[in-house]
Amino acid sequence: MQVLATKHLINCQFAVDRYQALKKLGAQEKIAEIGVLGGDLSEWFMKNLAPKEVHMIDLYNCADFPGRDRFTKRQHEGFIHNRFENEIKESKAIIKKGISWEVMAHYPNNYFDLIYIDAGHDYNSVKKDLEASANKIKDGGYIVMNDYIMYDHLSNTKYGVVQATNEFCIKNDWEFIYYAFHPNLFCDVVLRKIN
């Protein structure tokens, strides 16, 4: 695994959680959320970051978190459409169904202020999501990586988020500006292009 250099971390600050880190970024006009599940974070974006558009990108074929049970795999897309019915009518919520990096390829370059990545957690999927997102961010924009952890200790699954994120930052000159904690260490990192 490639090791980050001082230049990738020199401006990094800690945040108690992702919400604190995201609030410190301020208002974000155009947001993409890659991996939506129940839309909880999408709703948070709309209430806290004053976006004009939140692009909700997902395959929409997952069941809800265990214990939440708001929808089944078959009901996933319908749940999202019902939950954001008003925001869809106002063109504030834009629902995009498909493989995340393929969907991102259809957006113009320099379109988003913030891209939040929480889709496939295997190395190849994370790498493709990062590559697909790099040119879609405006100058000074942010990419946020969810679950910056190498191993999911709850489901006994290896993740490739750390490896793919570090490689992306080294190869493309991006830096960490926030490391946001999570009670079970499914932390978030906020990335920005080094000027």
Side-chain angles (χ1 to χ4, degrees):
M1 180 171 61
Q2 295 187 19
V3 179
L4 296 168
T6 301
K7 71 176 183 175
H8 302 112
L9 301 170
I10 197 160
N11 295 311
C12 188
Q13 299 178 43
F14 290 114
V16 296
D17 59 26
R18 67 180 176 182
Y19 304 108
Q20 183 188 62
L22 290 165
K23 280 183 181 177
K24 288 184 180 202
L25 303 180
Q28 303 293 316
E29 187 174 312
K30 293 180 181 176
I31 298 172
E33 184 180 6
I34 299 175
V36 174
L37 197 60
D40 300 325
L41 188 59
S42 301
E43 184 177 277
W44 187 92
F45 286 145
M46 292 176 201
K47 289 180 177 176
N48 293 278
L49 299 185
K52 291 183 179 175
E53 301 173 3
V54 176
H55 296 253
M56 303 166 64
I57 302 163
D58 204 302
L59 290 171
Y60 296 107
N61 66 353
C62 292
D64 200 3
F65 284 121
R68 296 290 307 270
D69 301 321
R70 296 170 292 180
F71 54 88
T72 65
K73 189 174 179 176
R74 289 166 113 197
Q75 299 167 329
H76 188 187
E77 187 175 5
F79 174 84
I80 293 295
H81 279 276
N82 288 336
R83 181 172 185 175
F84 294 98
E85 181 178 4
N86 292 333
E87 292 83 358
I88 292 168
K89 287 177 186 172
E90 297 166 0
S91 298
K92 188 173 185 176
I94 296 95
I95 310 298
K96 296 287 185 176
K97 183 177 181 178
I99 296 170
S100 49
W101 52 87
E102 293 177 358
V103 172
M104 288 300 284
H106 294 285
Y107 286 100
N109 288 347
N110 306 306
Y111 189 78
F112 293 106
D113 300 282
L114 172 71
I115 299 174
Y116 189 94
I117 299 177
D118 184 18
H121 288 57
D122 61 282
Y123 171 80
N124 288 327
S125 294
V126 177
K127 182 177 179 179
K128 287 178 182 178
D129 278 336
L130 279 163
E131 289 171 350
S133 298
N135 293 329
K136 307 306 176 184
I137 283 285
K138 295 176 185 174
D139 289 341
Y142 308 98
I143 296 176
V144 183
M145 302 304 297
N146 180 249
D147 298 330
Y148 185 77
I149 192 170
M150 294 181 72
Y151 187 78
D152 181 338
H153 51 277
L154 301 178
S155 68
N156 297 319
T157 306
K158 287 183 182 180
Y159 279 4
V161 180
V162 172
Q163 301 91 320
T165 301
N166 291 2
E167 286 176 14
F168 173 81
C169 289
I170 293 164
K171 179 181 175 185
N172 299 288
D173 267 344
W174 282 66
E175 65 177 335
F176 286 48
I177 62 164
Y178 287 105
Y179 186 99
F181 285 93
H182 180 274
N184 290 313
L185 290 182
F186 292 97
C187 302
D188 283 28
V189 292
V190 181
L191 311 176
R192 179 180 62 192
K193 182 82 171 164
I194 297 172
N195 291 328

